[in-house]
Amino acid sequence: MDNIIKIDLNDSVYNICTAHNKIKDLLFNLGFDKINNKVMFNTVAKVMTLDKAIKLKNINFEEVKKVFFENNFILEKTKENTRNDILKDIIVRLHSGENADILKKEFDKKLKTVSAFETHNAMNELIESGMEIDEAQQFFYMRSLLLHNSMDSGDLSVYDNYSFIKLFKEENREIENIIKNIEFDNIEDIKNLYNNIKIHYQKKENLFFTALNKYGNKEPSKVMTLVNRQILEDLESFIKNPNKEKLNNIKENINDMIFKEENILIPLLVSTLKEEDLENINNRYN
């Protein structure tokens, strides 16, 4: 076969398709249904490697390899891909008790920013390699020390094209407003906060996590569901036994969850699900 072209699986989908226009059509025919979406191509595709994209879409690698070979492309990993290893190493050391401030400095020096997909993939691989879900939950908030001001999720406003995401964010703004104005001794306000959050989390679990699980993305549902329940249990406990310090901790945890929902979960959701899945969520969200 003449003119064989080597394609690096660790290169971004955007770079590969820009260099070889034919590959964009090949990927679309293989099931990458959003490859022709200009918004997705100019945002998500720039930070998503071909290797990760194949895994996220749950497409058989041998089939991809065969189609590429038939079109004079050979898939291989030629670039050293250490970002994922660096991120996993820092997370494991954080869990092991190393100083968070020192690790944050190392994170900023070696990685500077990470995408939602890198964060998800690192945690998913750690859990698949043996990390207990309870451990992932325990350090859920600690990991935010690394991620705050370091997330590169592209232009998040592009996701407002989907009505259910607009509604999801509006619910978060309402929750933030309740938290901002809540009074320690006003139990009715606390109950209102509890009810708003409970409904919000139920939608997230029943619609978002169920859809992601279809494509093998189980890490968000495993960890976030446990954290959701812990937040609700903490609010229930506060209603029975008010404590100002406890309320401050609950507020911080809720705000942290909002950060992860909008900077990790939503980008992952939009990049993973097919249009039919997104439309199904749109129709069922309310």
Side-chain angles (χ1 to χ4, degrees):
M1 188 177 292
D2 298 328
N3 300 322
I4 293 292
I5 300 174
K6 295 179 180 179
I7 300 298
D8 181 9
L9 283 160
N10 287 330
D11 202 355
S12 72
V13 173
Y14 178 88
N15 287 343
I16 292 170
C17 291
T18 301
H20 310 283
N21 292 331
K22 184 178 182 180
I23 290 180
K24 199 172 184 181
D25 293 330
L26 296 180
L27 291 175
F28 179 81
N29 292 331
L30 281 163
F32 292 80
D33 52 306
K34 295 181 183 177
I35 195 74
N36 290 327
N37 182 312
K38 291 183 179 180
V39 172
M40 298 301 295
F41 185 70
N42 287 298
T43 54
V44 176
K46 288 185 176 180
V47 297
M48 177 74 70
T49 68
L50 179 57
D51 186 46
K52 295 299 182 185
I54 293 169
K55 292 175 181 176
L56 275 174
K57 296 295 289 184
N58 201 24
I59 294 174
N60 184 280
F61 176 74
E62 291 303 318
E63 176 63 20
V64 177
K65 187 176 178 181
K66 177 175 177 290
V67 169
F68 270 63
F69 183 74
E70 290 172 349
N71 287 273
N72 294 355
F73 297 108
I74 290 182
L75 297 177
E76 62 178 19
K77 291 186 178 181
T78 57
K79 293 181 180 177
E80 185 180 5
N81 187 23
T82 61
R83 286 181 58 84
N84 188 51
D85 292 333
I86 292 171
L87 181 56
K88 289 194 294 184
D89 176 65
I90 291 176
I91 290 173
V92 169
R93 287 159 56 201
L94 180 69
H95 288 202
S96 300
E98 286 196 33
N99 184 280
D101 292 333
I102 293 175
L103 287 175
K104 174 61 174 171
K105 291 179 180 177
E106 181 179 339
F107 176 95
D108 290 341
K109 180 179 180 181
K110 293 182 176 179
L111 298 172
K112 294 184 180 178
T113 62
V114 291
S115 69
F117 317 104
E118 288 176 306
T119 305
H120 162 72
N121 289 335
M123 283 305 304
N124 194 53
E125 288 181 16
L126 286 171
I127 289 172
E128 287 184 350
S129 66
M131 178 182 286
E132 296 292 335
I133 295 297
D134 287 344
E135 178 185 343
Q137 177 199 5
Q138 180 184 355
F139 289 93
F140 185 82
Y141 303 114
M142 185 67 76
R143 290 194 295 276
S144 295
L145 296 175
L146 300 177
L147 300 177
H148 270 293
N149 301 318
S150 300
M151 291 299 303
D152 179 12
S153 300
D155 181 5
L156 295 180
S157 66
V158 302
Y159 304 132
D160 291 338
N161 293 325
Y162 303 97
S163 62
F164 76 90
I165 294 179
K166 288 184 181 180
L167 293 172
F168 189 73
K169 287 184 175 182
E170 287 172 3
E171 290 171 11
N172 275 338
R173 302 294 79 79
E174 176 63 21
I175 290 170
E176 288 173 336
N177 188 54
I178 294 173
I179 290 174
K180 181 180 178 180
N181 297 294
I182 208 163
E183 295 292 339
F184 160 70
D185 56 354
N186 191 326
I187 297 302
E188 289 306 312
D189 280 353
I190 304 296
K191 289 180 179 179
N192 183 37
L193 175 63
Y194 174 87
N195 290 331
N196 275 267
I197 288 177
K198 184 176 182 180
I199 294 171
H200 183 74
Y201 288 176
Q202 284 175 340
K203 291 179 183 178
K204 177 172 63 174
E205 293 174 14
N206 293 337
L207 296 176
F208 296 2
F209 294 167
T210 299
L212 284 171
N213 284 343
K214 283 171 48 181
Y215 299 93
N217 287 274
K218 298 181 179 180
E219 184 268 328
S221 61
K222 288 180 179 178
V223 179
M224 276 191 174
T225 297
L226 289 177
V227 177
N228 290 346
R229 291 173 184 171
Q230 186 61 58
I231 288 173
L232 291 171
E233 288 173 7
D234 288 344
L235 281 169
E236 289 175 345
S237 174
F238 178 87
I239 291 170
K240 295 176 182 177
N241 183 25
N243 178 290
K244 192 168 186 177
E245 183 178 349
K246 182 187 293 185
L247 180 59
N248 289 334
N249 289 335
I250 293 172
K251 287 181 179 180
E252 290 179 5
N253 293 345
I254 294 171
N255 283 323
D256 187 81
M257 176 60 80
I258 289 173
F259 168 80
K260 288 191 171 78
E261 285 176 346
E262 298 192 2
N263 290 276
I264 297 177
L265 180 60
I266 288 178
L268 179 66
L269 197 72
V270 174
S271 69
T272 302
L273 302 186
K274 295 181 179 179
E275 285 297 327
E276 61 206 57
D277 300 309
L278 295 169
E279 283 303 317
N280 182 49
I281 294 177
N282 264 336
N283 294 333
R284 297 177 58 196
Y285 194 80
N286 281 324

